[in-house]
Amino acid sequence: MEILLQQIINGLVLGSMYALIALGYTMVYGVINLINFAHGEVLMVGALTSWSIIVTMQESMPGLPGWLLLLLATLIACVVAAALNFSIEKIAYRPLRNSPRLAPLITAIGMSLLLQTLAMIVFKPNYKPFPTLLPVKPFEVGGAVITTTQIMILALTAISLGVLTYLVNYTRLGRAMRATAENPKVAALMGVKPDMVISATFIIGAVLATIAGVMYASNYGTVQHTMGFLPGLKAFTAAVFGGIGNLAGAVVGGILLGLIEAIGSGYIGVLTGGVLGSHYADIFAFIVLIAVLTLRPSGLLGERVADRA
Amino acid sequence: MEKHKKTLLIVVAAVALLVLPLGLQWMGNFWVRIADIALLYVLLALGLNIVVGYAGLLDLGFVAFFAIGAYMYALMASPHLSNTFAWFAQTFPEGLHTSIWLVVPLGALIAGIFGAILGAPTLKLRGDYLAIVTLGFGEIIRVFLNNLDHPVNLTNGPKGLGQIDSITLLKFDAFGIPGLNLGRFLDIGDFRVSSVTLYYYLFLALVVLSVVICHRLELSRIGRAWMAIREDEIAAKAMGINTRNMKLLAFAMGATFGGVSGAMFAAFQGFVSPESFSLMESIMIVAMVVLGGIGYLPGVILGAVLLSALPEVLRWVSGVLDLQAATGGRLDPAILRQLLIALAMIVVMLMRPRGLWPAPEHGKSLQQVKR
């Protein structure tokens, strides 16, 4: 029973991280119908930036408390990542907005590869230890263990979803976003500036990705230039799973995916009598995804779109 | 007059392609190797072009078929099965050592079946949903290849399969003709044709055959049906096209090319491991098709050659200039190669969103974003 509880906690934490990243994916997709393959790399840049800030600040100002250091580094990394994502959209996606559908997809893949390579050149390809800044003493819940970092991840995802839902549903910017997603030309006639809305979407996406990246790094304790790829892929899967373009769907998809992965990898060995091991964990996500999409081609919470070719 | 010109062009191109490896061989086998790999990628890109270019189904897991073909040949032409399974060793004490006349059709058939199987659950999906599901299939296949060394050792896991036979052509045991082993050099008089050059001719033959098949397909009823589906699926259905069967056929036909080139890859390398079939490879093949000119054969070939051969050439250039020492070890040839591929993807798309060599006439789905 304790194992199950522990796996549920692990799954929730993992799922919340996927959810945070998936929110960024789904917002961008919702507004301009583009799979932003570089999103995972923005996460990576955010995490690496915060890492280098933390390392330098620990040297120059050794007296600073850990949580403040983490907060400051995250804030600066958010600004860097937001500037980066803003420029990516402007350079690589905006000129292609009226081109064949696959063209921006290829520039997005190119961007992802470019960022990874540049990060490798700037930060060297080795794994770097991410300092532990929050108290390490874990809490016990009914025999299972949960760390401060994990609690923070859960809290941050809940807060982010709340803030985003408010933003999208009740603010001027949110209304402009929804209008642009519906039809950019008509939105422009109504006084919305689609370019500004799209830039804002990319900036918000970058902030979410950075928060997720820093949390990911402090949870696993390492950073590296390829760290964004797999979470990015999983988060995208989560976004599609929940119904891409739908905020609540991204969170539901992310958390379900995390739970399926954690519980699946914890129990597959027992269920199959040791024939299949936990290294099959990565494919659960995809098997569930395929099953769900076969039954509901637009995802769990997605609207039924008749034609989205 | 026009027709004469065309014939002349084809003859010149054919001669150039036939002489090319001999010239490259003179410069070193490294260069012929690059040409060989480029031809394999052309084969892959032609296959994916059927799925993405003709039928408009974005497939991000195409490398799975490449992997299936490669492992099929690796199992049939390496001592792995005999070494692992006693019953197999009893039946075939010498191992299978499959002939190429079996490898090519079988590789095509198995990959084609997998193509249809993987295509079936995705029939209802469109656009980006399809992309992510196919991507998932690619990963599932890779994870299985990586882990099927336990409980039954079928793929030897991450260690991969080695000692794969090279291909032998024109072998007739009954007449005592030993055949032409492409894994060894061939002496014609004083001139020595290296193994990589022999493979070049085999791959070239396959590519030419594939181009003919693709060209005929494009003009056929099937090809027109695919393009109708690409342009507007609902209209195609309304006009009586069986979209389900046509999509399955596109997946299966595309996959056959992947399977054949996978088998060729295994024979050429003599070694396969799951590392060669990562998601990045799938993405590269998509990039080749789109970068060159989606749905248009000359464009697809150009894209495949450029993206597969150019980085290797640049790797050589950066080695000659010794960039590694000049930049303090930060910029080695592998990194430079990756950097240039990334930049090429971005710059080419920004300058020519329809590809480097786009088709002269376009369907509407290739021209504009549909909202």
Side-chain angles (χ1 to χ4, degrees), chain A residues 29 99-101 121 236 294, chain B residues 124 128 132 147 330 366 369:
Chain A
Y29 189 91
S99 306
R101 264 196 69 249
I121 295 172
F236 178 45
T294 314
Chain B
K124 276 196 278 177
D128 303 328
I132 191 72
N147 291 304
R330 279 176 188 252
L366 292 181
V369 180

Side-chain angles (χ1 to χ4, degrees), chain A residues 187-246:
Chain A
L189 287 179
M190 297 292 135
V192 174
K193 294 196 175 66
D195 281 349
M196 272 177 65
V197 171
I198 291 165
S199 292
T201 313
F202 274 84
I203 288 170
I204 296 169
V207 170
L208 291 170
T210 308
I211 296 173
V214 175
M215 290 297 114
Y216 202 86
S218 27
N219 196 29
Y220 292 106
T222 54
V223 280
Q224 207 230 356
H225 68 278
T226 53
M227 66 178 285
F229 181 72
L230 206 58
L233 196 62
K234 292 282 175 56
F236 178 45
T237 312
V240 174
F241 186 28
I244 200 158
N246 182 320

